[in-house]
Structure formats: C-alpha cells, structure tokens
Amino acid sequence: MTTNNKIFISGDEAVAQGVKLCRPHVIAAYPITPQTITVERLSEMVEAGEMEGIYMHVESEHSAISAAMGACAVGARTFTASSSQGLLYMAEGLHYCSGGRWPVVMMNANRSVALPWSIYGDQRDSLSLLDCGWIQVYVEDAQEALDMIIQAYKIAEHKDVLTPMMVNLDGFILTHTYELVAIPEQKMVDEFLPVFETPNKMSFEEPKNLGFSSKPDDNTEFKYQQNEAMFNAIDVIRDVDQEFAEKFGRKYYDMVEEYQCEDAEVVLVALGSVCGTIRVVVDKMRAEGKKVGLLKIRYMRPFPEAEVKNLARRVNAIGVIDKDISFGYEGTVYTNVNSAISKIDKYVYKSNFVGGLGGRDITKAEIEEMFDKLFFGVANKSEEKVEFFSLNVETND
Amino acid sequence: MTNLVDIPKVNAKNMTEKEFFYGHKACAGCGGSVAVRLALKVLGERTYTALPAGCMSAVGFIFPQMAFNTNALITTFPGAASMASGIAAGAKALGQKDVKTVVFAGDGGTADIGFQALSGMIDRNDDVLYICYDNEAYMNTGIQKSGLTPYGTKTTTTPAGENLPGSITHKKNMFEIIAAHDIAYAATASIGYPQDYLNKVNKAKHIKGATFIHVYASCPTGWGTPTETSIEIAKEAVDCGLIFLAEYEDGEYKLNRNPKEFASVKDYLKKQGRFKHLNDENIQCITEHRDKKWLRMRKNWL
Ligand SMILES: Cc1ncc(C[n+]2csc(CCOP(=O)(O)OP(=O)(O)O)c2C)c(N)n1
Ligand code: SF4
C-alpha cells in the first residue's frame, strides 16, 4: 500500500521529518534538552531550502508560543517545540492559544521539572498542564511521533476542533534513541493534509479584532464552546486515524490501544514509551498462563472515558503507572482513570504506581511485580493503594 | 535602505479622515488613545495591530464592541513584540505585500515585562513598528510604578510620605537602550507635538524592519490633571526639558528640539496631582537629573 522510505533516525529527528512534510509557514521554538535536536534539524532544513517556511530565532519559550499564535492569527500553519521548564514558561501562552482557538502544533519532549534539576524524562511537565486546553497525545516510538505530527495538524485544524495540539514523546528514551522510521512521501502527505484554511484569522477583506475581553455574561459560553470542541476532537481523531491508516498503512487505534485485553483479568494502564516494556512483560506472563493486558492511553485530552469504562467492565483489576505525581494526592493519570471507572456500575480493584521520576528506568521486573500485586489485591480484597514503587529508602508501609 | 527623503509628507490636511480607533472606552482626555488614533491614520488600512494588556487593549476590545476598524489583536502582556513578530512572519510567509505590523504598548509593557520580547524582535529585525505610549505608570491596574515612572511620582505602589517622595528611581533610558540594539530607526515623541509624532510614524512606516517610537502620552486619571489639558501638559513636558524629542537613524542620534531655555520644571510638576507633594529639594533633584541628561545629549548628539 505504501512506498515508504525507511531511515535510521532518533525520535527528535523523526519529529523534524514529520514537521517538514506538513509544510508549516512559521516555526518558532527555543532550544531545551532533550528537544534540541528537533529545532536544529528544522533550522538545517530551512537553510538547505528543503523547507519554505520561516524559522524564527526567538529569544524565549514565551516568545516562541507568542510568535506561533501571531502567525496563526493571520492564517499561517505554525510549529513550536518545547520541554520541561520551557513548557512551563510557555504556560501563559498555552491557555491563551487554546482560548484564541489557534491550532498551533507543538512537540513536547517529556522531561522532569525542577527542583531538583533533571534533564531526564518523566511526564510532570505536560501532565501538570493538562487543563490548559490543548489536545495531548503521548506516543510510544519514533514512528508514532512522526505520524502523529502529521495527524496533529489535521486534527487541530479541523473546523469543528480549532484547538492546539501537543505531541508528547518521552525525553531521551524516545528523543535520543534511534530506530528505523518510515518517511512518507511528500505527495501523499500533501494529499492527506489540505492547505490550512480557517475563518478565525485576521484578513484585509474582513478585518477582525481578536484576543478580546469578555464580560461575565459571555465568558462561560466561550469556555463551553472550547470544551465542546475538545469533545468534537474525539470523532475527528478516529476519522483522521482511519484515513491515515488507509493512506499510509499504519494505524494507531484512536484514543487508546488495547494489548491482550480481550480476556484479561488484570490490566496496566500507561502512557508513552513504557508501554513498549509493558508489552514485553505481558507477552512473558501470558506465556506463563497469566491473563494480563495493557491499556496504552494515547490521548489524555480529550480523555478516553468511554474506552476506559469499556475496559473496566471486563476486568477485575486496573493498575495505573504514573510518571508524575500531583503532590498531596496521587498520580494525574490515575485520577483521570479512576474518575472514569467510578461511573460504571461495577467494582474494579485499582492501584496507582508512581515512579520513573527524573528519568529512572521502569524495569520489566517492576512491571511484573505490579501485575502480581494486582492479582494479589483482587484475591485478598486488599485496600486500594497509591504507592511510589521501588523506592531506595525505607517507608512505613 | 529606503530613501526617507522621498516619503510623501503627512499633515492635518492630507491625512485620512477615516477613524481606525473609535468607540473605545478610554477616559476623557486619554493621551494614549490620541497616540493610537494618530498613528493608525498614518499607517492606514493594511495594518495589523498588536496590543498587550494595558489601557489601550482594555478599552478597545470589550466583546462584542470592538474599537479597531483594522485587524487588531490583544497579546499576552509579556508577548506583544513576539506576537507581532509572528504576525509579520506569518504575513510574509503567506506572501502578503504592502502590510505593516504595529504594536501599541504602555510603558510597563515595554520597559518591564515585555522588554525581553522587544529586544528579541529588534535583534531579529522583524518588520514591526513598536510604539510605546508612555503614561509613566501601570494605569490599567490602577496606577502603579513602572520602569518609566519618573523620580518623585506618587503612585499606588510608591506612596509619597514622610520617608519617601514617591518613586525614588529615574526613568529608564529606554530610547538609548533601544538605540544600543543598533536599530534602523528609533525616535521619541510627544502627543503635545503631534506633527513631529506623525512625521516619525510616517518615516517608520516606510522602513522595512524593526522600528521604535517612544511617545509621551498624558493620562488625566493617573496624573491628576484636567482632561482638557492633556495635549498642553504633554507639550509642557517637552518645553521644560523632562521629555526630549530625538531620533536615532543610521547609527546617529539627532535632537529634534534643542531649546535655548527651558520652561519651568516646577510649573509643569505642580499642575499634576501625582507631584503635588514634592518639596523644593525633590524638584531640585529632578532638575539636576534633567540638566545632566541634556549635557550628555548636547555633547554627544549635536
Ligand atoms: C503576565 C501578566 N501580569 C500582570 C498582568 C496585569 N496587568 C494588566 S495591564 C497591567 C499594567 C499595564 O501597564 P502599562 O503597560 O504601562 O500600560 P497602561 O495600562 O498604562 O496603558 C498589568 C500589570 C497581566 N495582564 N499579565
Ligand atoms: S487611565 Fe489613563 S491611559 Fe488609561 S484610559 Fe484612562 S486616561 Fe487613558
């Protein structure tokens, strides 16, 4: 079906290749490890004349997102990239961008946030910004990163969505490791992704005032529309993935991907690259006759509530791995999964495993232990738990 | 570079009667709104306007009443220059010809929070005219001190009392800081000298790349002055030498007005509520600071 050319590149480079194929008019990004290679490659592509867009050398992340919004406000397709402290520095602009309904696409290299300083990966940066009104997708490998950049423009720019989108990939684990990645043909991407057109832009034929204030009388209505647009994205995500599969031969199973879940008794839920490790453990435990499965959550916003409920109706226990913590409570993925499960009329044993912070590896042995704990919890009617796994210090429990 | 000598002049007679900024909710006598209105008359219809948080954005865009007849956008407070850079880049990438992007930002948005973005914009030489309307305080949030608030100003965060005469810092040398970026064109102006201001906007309009105008714009509400004296007081600020009219072009400074004698600083200050509390010693301090500055300007710029 496809005539994809395969090359050996890192996740960061895969993102750059994806961006190039989407022909953005303006790229505005500020370097931060581990996203840096993406912006370097993009500026090289512009220099080499492989890309027509303008590469803006902005002086900060705040300016990167501001410039992207400005360009989008005149109808230009834009790209930005960030990570960690840089993403947090953009926070004001992230809310502004979604409220302005500017479909900017961003790559975020998931990285821990200070203090302590750490350049390594966890997901506290993007998950702490879950409420900023951006569509958030998490990818598992470099191929998915490239493909999702292409899908992202199509989803974000859809007239019923007009919402910015963040493509998240785990720092170092995905950004800096090399894989064989299929590069779609430009012609096919051009057919898949139409030229960006939006009613929501300044023009000389029809001048507009954008970014306005609203009174308490109207504000809720604007926010209601923004929320509806997020829900509209669910159908658009499905359609775009389907169309992508038909065109390029790779399918990502929409909002979530179930792995060995049909007859599973206990399931682990996770985002991003750790899903690759979980798959290996699932295969091993399945070979031993244990009915385990993986639910890879791809989209955190909009949240795949229907899919989580559907799974919960079929299993006895769900464990959630969080590479983040909302201090004073629990992992953010867990909060969201738990909220969906609470809406079904059935008891499911649950556990939240918090770890992998600041880049610590999550090992196969640890994942196997999590599955065992879930089986134990169900069999012994144990109390449901939020626990930091494999701590190097003594704890009371 | 554009030959600025050939630019058609603008004046009250040949300027458009079209209003691009009307129906706004600024206070009566607002100098900032005069600065915006005059500049847009020169810049015309094919203008993208970006305004950060501040009085002009607050009074211009209250949904569904929009005061700009041209394309306009409120930016984040720190991101006026970078959002304008993005607009200019987007317009260029889309092949739009004969367009201008202009920023109207207050003194706080320019000299403080938006300074980094402004510096970046000039560094990249993006095709944006940045106009700072200087009312010498954060007016929109209720008259607090900014980096361009002069010594001795009573604001809500620099109250004047027994111990302090209000603000104890002098205005940042904004014009020279901008010039130090080696920008193609920068100027200072005052709404009290409108023709001079119009000429400068006109010049900047015809330069491709980053340009900057710092225009002194009175604020009756923040300054404690009668609404009908707004233009007069902005003129007096120049006449007494606390505000100067100058340009930076092709790497050279130029003083546009070099008065032989200054009008009285004390008279200028004492007409305003924000300076009512100043004693002779404070006024002496302000005058000495002025004199030092003029000594430097005359030595280096003439
Ligand atoms: C990030 C951020 N911080 C603070 C504010 C609050 N704020 C809005 S306008 C303003 C003052 C604006 O002052 P200035 O730029 O001098 O313009 P003026 O109001 O005098 O026209 C402030 C502090 C904001 N909108 N955004
Ligand atoms: S407070 Fe001052 S600057 Fe603001 S609208 Fe009123 S007069 Fe204009």
Side-chain angles (χ1 to χ4, degrees), chain A residues 197-209:
Chain A
E197 256 314 321
T198 172
N200 185 29
K201 68 170 184 201
M202 300 194 279
S203 80
F204 295 111
E205 293 71 44
E206 232 188 297
K208 284 184 195 64
N209 288 190

Side-chain angles (χ1 to χ4, degrees), chain A residues 211-278:
Chain A
F212 45 75
S213 309
S214 75
K215 298 186 289 281
D217 291 353
D218 306 309
N219 199 286
T220 309
E221 282 68 18
F222 282 111
K223 293 293 133 186
Y224 173 79
Q225 286 184 2
Q226 209 179 318
N227 195 39
E228 286 299 296
M230 250 311 170
F231 287 128
N232 293 344
I234 295 176
D235 281 344
V236 175
I237 285 166
R238 189 162 299 136
D239 295 347
V240 167
D241 196 48
Q242 183 57 35
E243 204 187 315
F244 189 88
E246 283 160 20
K247 184 121 200 130
F248 300 100
R250 288 184 294 277
K251 182 158 176 59
Y252 291 100
Y253 310 101
D254 311 331
M255 304 291 288
V256 300
E257 183 194 337
E258 287 190 4
Y259 184 69
Q260 300 284 355
C261 285
E262 306 84 65
D263 61 341
E265 287 165 11
V266 307
V267 163
L268 270 177
V269 176
L271 315 178
S273 60
V274 72
C275 292
T277 320
I278 302 175

Side-chain angles (χ1 to χ4, degrees), chain A residues 5-21:
Chain A
N5 161 35
K6 285 200 171 183
I7 56 174
F8 194 59
I9 49 174
S10 70
D12 270 346
E13 289 168 325
V15 169
Q17 290 288 341
V19 172
K20 176 184 144 193
L21 289 166

Side-chain angles (χ1 to χ4, degrees), chain A residues 220-385:
Chain A
T220 309
E221 282 68 18
F222 282 111
K223 293 293 133 186
Y224 173 79
Q225 286 184 2
Q226 209 179 318
N227 195 39
E228 286 299 296
M230 250 311 170
F231 287 128
N232 293 344
I234 295 176
D235 281 344
V236 175
I237 285 166
R238 189 162 299 136
D239 295 347
V240 167
D241 196 48
Q242 183 57 35
E243 204 187 315
F244 189 88
E246 283 160 20
K247 184 121 200 130
F248 300 100
R250 288 184 294 277
K251 182 158 176 59
Y252 291 100
Y253 310 101
D254 311 331
M255 304 291 288
V256 300
E257 183 194 337
E258 287 190 4
Y259 184 69
Q260 300 284 355
C261 285
E262 306 84 65
D263 61 341
E265 287 165 11
V266 307
V267 163
L268 270 177
V269 176
L271 315 178
S273 60
V274 72
C275 292
T277 320
I278 302 175
R279 273 176 220 273
V280 176
V281 177
V282 167
D283 289 347
K284 173 177 177 274
M285 293 180 78
R286 281 271 170 183
E288 293 162 2
K290 296 177 186 148
K291 292 190 170 169
V292 295
L294 157 71
L295 183 77
K296 166 178 157 185
I297 291 196
R298 302 187 63 243
Y299 285 85
M300 278 299 289
R301 286 293 179 274
F303 189 74
E305 185 190 327
E307 289 80 354
V308 171
K309 280 155 87 176
N310 179 352
L311 177 80
R313 287 194 185 96
R314 290 181 276 137
V315 300
N316 299 330
I318 289 182
V320 177
I321 298 184
D322 260 292
K323 282 166 68 168
D324 73 286
I325 174 73
S326 175
F327 298 109
Y329 197 32
E330 57 194 18
T332 300
V333 183
Y334 185 63
T335 303
N336 282 267
V337 168
N338 213 351
S339 156
I341 298 175
S342 74
K343 294 173 195 169
I344 64 167
D345 191 15
K346 179 198 159 192
Y347 175 74
V348 180
Y349 175 78
K350 298 178 291 300
S351 203
N352 187 195
F353 303 104
V354 174
L357 302 184
R360 184 179 301 177
D361 274 345
I362 302 177
T363 64
K364 285 185 274 187
E366 284 164 351
I367 291 167
E368 194 164 343
E369 202 181 316
M370 289 175 207
F371 276 123
D372 288 341
K373 281 186 177 176
L374 291 172
F375 280 118
F376 182 85
V378 176
N380 296 283
K381 297 198 165 56
S382 309
E383 201 182 316
E384 295 183 1
K385 277 216 300 197

Side-chain angles (χ1 to χ4, degrees), chain B residues 32 48 84 128 141 144 161 187 191 200 244 286:
Chain B
Y48 290 118
V128 177
T141 34
Q144 296 90 21
I191 60 157
K200 288 169 175 171
F244 58 92
I286 293 168

Side-chain angles (χ1 to χ4, degrees), chain B residues 26-27 30 55-56 59 135 139 219-221:
Chain B
C27 316
C30 170
C55 271
M56 290 309 107
V59 304
N135 52 29
M139 294 308 177
C219 165
T221 312

